[in-house]
Amino acid sequence: MFLQRRMAEPYKIKSVELINVLNEQEREAALIEGGYNTFLIRSDQVYIDLLTDSGTSAMSDLQWAALQRGDEAYAGSKSWYRLEHAVQEIYGYRHVIPTHQGRGAENLLSQLKIHPGDYVPGNMYFTTTRAHQELNGGTFVDIIIDEAHDPQAELPFKGNVDLVKLENLIQKVGADKIPYVSVAVTVNLAGGQPVSMQNLRDVYALCQKHSIPVMFDATRCVENAYFIKEREVGYERVPVKDILKEMMSYSDGCTMSGKKDCLVNIGGFLAMNDDDLYTRARELVVLYEGMPSYGGMAGRDMEAMAQGIYEAVDDLYIAHRINQVRYLGDQLINAGVPVVRPIGGHAVFLEARAFLPHLDQEQFPAQALAAALYLDSGVRSMERGIVSSGRNKVTGENNHPKLELVRLTIPRRVYTDNHMDVVADSVISLYEKRDKISGLEMVYEPPTLRFFNARFEPLAANGRLIQD
Ligand code: PLI
């Protein structure tokens, strides 16, 4: 019988960070102290931290060594030229503006391009991206394919743009009201779902016809490139590095959170091919981030990011990365736990409404499930549902997103498959006693990006989140 060979982590552990393991009583106390919000729990109270894959990567020995090369010159740092060269070589854009992280780049792009009354189409919103678009008077318009909002629709490229929706918007508001089309590769809130090369090509062609620039949210673009290699005919034997270069050629620039696919703990950039946009971005970056030769990053951080950019496009690294996420997802699928299908690039998303069908969306099922998971095992996850979605600006009502999810986000090169087993065991055990999990009431609500600081209490009469 042919036995499929297993693949181990393509790295060796050189230095370890010890983990604090709390008992159940201590975890309950931490949860109450943090208002049942996983953002408000201290990291030393967490066993396995799947809150985010942002800035949580483990750096390689070569990245740590690169820190020593950091040139901290205020202007014209050698480290900056190395970073600029890495972005130009791997992503293929002509111009690069460094920023302290992704949202710094989103701020610059939104200020430079969006005017009040404009529309910014995108393949599903992301919190900070949409917030910057709105801050500058723009209106986000969702042009992702309908299936992306259906957690059970099994499609290889569920992040694709619906070309008809885009075309209809252009006809309705006019190309001059669309400063750019924003395409995320992959789509975080859809479950880390990729966009196909064909779709990127088609979007670019349509936009070129109407002289509308295409700007990528490149935050997890290497993961997207891997999915193309895995799923799109003709790319099976093409190195991920080359796939990525072709992907980026179907855009005019990008914003990047280096904290994900550049394998660093801090940093980002705005890149573009347009000379005029570059000149204006060089002027604006000085106001918000710093000189165009450091943009909010230390020289050493730029060195680590330049090195990370090369490491991230290694075929073995990215194959393991995606397959580790899938390893966790498959265990949950096999146990019948409702998760977003197919498993995406950076996270497994639990479908909280199917998991806790006895709760109304206004009882914050995803928030309650994230809290219950922490209580059960000390695994920290993140709500991505009604709390994250905020309120309608006009009516003041809660937005009711179709996707009510708990995100189990896997940091890069940090955890082993044994950690994934522990997470799977905890989720499966919760699923077995799901009817015992209570809903929540929001007792403190901040006015913006409320999910970070909101506080909750269980609705159950005895005040307990999980009933005995
Ligand atoms: O956290 P920043 O500012 O480096 O990046 C913002 C950002 C932009 N786009 C996308 C798709 C993101 O996922 C993103 C940040 N994501 C976080 C923090 C996350 O936990 O998913």
Side-chain angles (χ1 to χ4, degrees):
M1 192 180 87
F2 177 71
L3 217 119
Q4 201 181 356
R5 292 288 175 95
R6 286 182 290 183
M7 182 188 184
E9 288 76 7
Y11 45 82
K12 291 192 286 185
I13 296 165
K14 196 184 283 254
S15 167
V16 297
E17 183 177 337
L18 301 184
I19 300 178
N20 207 16
V21 186
L22 270 52
N23 65 31
E24 191 178 344
Q25 257 181 338
E26 291 168 326
R27 291 197 300 271
E28 183 161 32
L31 199 55
I32 293 170
E33 171 86 24
Y36 293 82
N37 184 346
T38 52
F39 279 103
L40 299 179
I41 293 173
R42 294 164 51 120
S43 69
D44 60 3
Q45 297 168 327
V46 172
Y47 177 22
I48 300 175
D49 204 345
L50 307 187
L51 185 72
T52 180
D53 63 329
S54 181
T56 52
S57 299
M59 292 207 298
S60 69
D61 51 353
L62 294 180
Q63 285 179 291
W64 283 104
L67 293 183
Q68 287 288 344
R69 292 206 307 198
D71 173 4
E72 306 304 341
Y74 190 81
S77 157
K78 285 180 293 202
S79 304
W80 156 243
Y81 291 112
R82 262 193 283 273
L83 173 58
E84 183 187 44
H85 179 73
V87 176
Q88 288 168 337
E89 186 184 339
I90 298 298
Y91 293 82
Y93 298 116
R94 291 176 58 205
H95 304 301
V96 191
I97 299 281
T99 57
H100 74 286
Q101 57 185 80
R103 68 199 70 184
E106 290 169 352
N107 172 37
L108 298 179
L109 178 66
S110 302
Q111 285 206 37
L112 288 165
K113 299 286 290 181
I114 300 172
H115 298 102
D118 281 350
Y119 296 86
V120 190
N123 51 345
M124 202 173 273
Y125 84 99
F126 182 72
T127 51
T128 58
T129 320
R130 188 179 66 185
H132 281 294
Q133 291 165 358
E134 288 174 351
L135 214 57
N136 286 282
T139 300
F140 166 81
V141 183
D142 194 0
I143 51 159
I144 202 164
I145 54 171
D146 286 342
E147 292 91 331
H149 293 278
D150 174 359
Q152 293 310 316
E154 286 264 8
L155 259 71
F157 293 105
K158 227 172 144 179
N160 277 358
V161 168
D162 184 328
L163 290 152
V164 175
K165 284 186 191 169
L166 177 55
E167 178 99 60
N168 285 348
L169 182 74
I170 298 170
Q171 297 309 329
K172 189 170 149 206
V173 304
D176 57 331
K177 283 274 172 226
I178 301 178
Y180 59 94
V181 173
S182 173
V183 181
V185 284
T186 59
V187 184
N188 187 351
L189 299 192
Q193 306 294 341
V195 183
S196 72
M197 193 73 91
Q198 188 57 50
N199 190 248
L200 293 177
R201 216 176 274 134
D202 291 344
V203 170
Y204 196 51
L206 176 62
C207 287
Q208 281 202 315
K209 200 172 91 187
H210 293 280
S211 301
I212 302 171
V214 174
M215 299 299 287
F216 283 173
D217 179 340
T219 297
R220 297 181 181 84
C221 57
V222 185
E223 293 171 5
N224 199 99
Y226 181 80
F227 281 119
I228 289 176
K229 183 181 176 73
E230 205 181 55
R231 299 176 183 174
E232 197 158 347
V233 176
Y235 289 95
E236 304 86 346
R237 291 175 196 283
V238 183
V240 163
K241 188 174 172 211
D242 297 345
I243 297 177
L244 181 68
K245 200 69 161 290
E246 186 186 341
M247 277 169 54
M248 301 330 245
S249 74
Y250 303 128
S251 71
D252 300 286
C254 75
T255 54
M256 181 70 183
S257 170
K259 300 170 74 173
K260 285 84 166 174
D261 268 358
C262 300
L263 295 172
V264 284
N265 307 117
I266 196 71
F269 59 81
L270 169 65
M272 69 286 279
N273 293 326
D274 183 86
D275 296 336
D276 177 55
L277 182 63
Y278 175 57
T279 305
R280 293 195 300 128
R282 276 177 68 90
E283 290 160 11
L284 198 63
V285 72
V286 184
L287 267 179
Y288 290 94
E289 307 279 330
M291 286 283 288
S293 59
Y294 71 87
M297 274 188 279
R300 56 181 168 272
D301 292 328
M302 294 193 280
E303 290 283 356
M305 192 153 120
Q307 174 64 23
I309 285 172
Y310 291 108
E311 289 180 15
V313 292
D314 176 77
D315 282 320
L316 201 55
Y317 152 74
I318 189 65
H320 176 267
R321 157 75 178 154
I322 300 291
N323 282 294
Q324 187 178 50
V325 176
R326 193 177 294 149
Y327 172 73
L328 171 61
D330 284 347
Q331 292 194 54
L332 301 183
I333 290 172
N334 292 339
V337 175
V339 298
V340 173
R341 313 278 284 264
I343 302 297
H346 65 302
V348 175
F349 289 73
L350 306 179
E351 223 204 299
R353 272 192 291 191
F355 200 115
L356 303 175
H358 55 289
L359 299 186
D360 187 85
Q361 198 172 18
E362 294 275 342
Q363 297 173 327
F364 309 115
Q367 189 77 31
L369 183 53
L373 182 61
Y374 174 77
L375 185 58
D376 183 71
S377 59
V379 171
R380 170 151 71 175
S381 58
M382 186 191 284
E383 190 266 7
R384 290 275 93 148
I386 184 168
V387 182
S388 298
S389 189
R391 288 183 183 274
N392 182 297
K393 281 224 153 49
V394 182
T395 65
E397 296 291 311
N398 278 326
N399 293 321
H400 286 90
K402 282 198 190 131
L403 297 178
E404 176 74 23
L405 307 174
V406 172
R407 192 180 70 172
L408 304 168
T409 337
I410 316 302
R412 295 167 183 80
R413 304 193 294 204
V414 172
Y415 292 116
T416 65
D417 289 354
N418 283 331
H419 291 103
M420 299 301 112
D421 293 343
V422 169
V423 176
D425 285 354
S426 178
V427 174
I428 292 165
S429 118
L430 276 181
Y431 190 58
E432 281 160 4
K433 56 179 173 195
R434 55 194 178 274
D435 54 333
K436 303 231 170 357
I437 300 173
S438 152
L440 294 171
E441 176 190 6
M442 199 186 301
V443 292
Y444 166 66
E445 178 176 354
T448 49
L449 298 178
R450 63 184 183 179
F451 54 92
F452 284 125
N453 286 306
R455 300 185 70 84
F456 303 84
E457 280 173 11
L459 284 166
N462 65 359
R464 306 290 300 275
L465 181 63
I466 306 177
Q467 306 306 303
D468 295 326

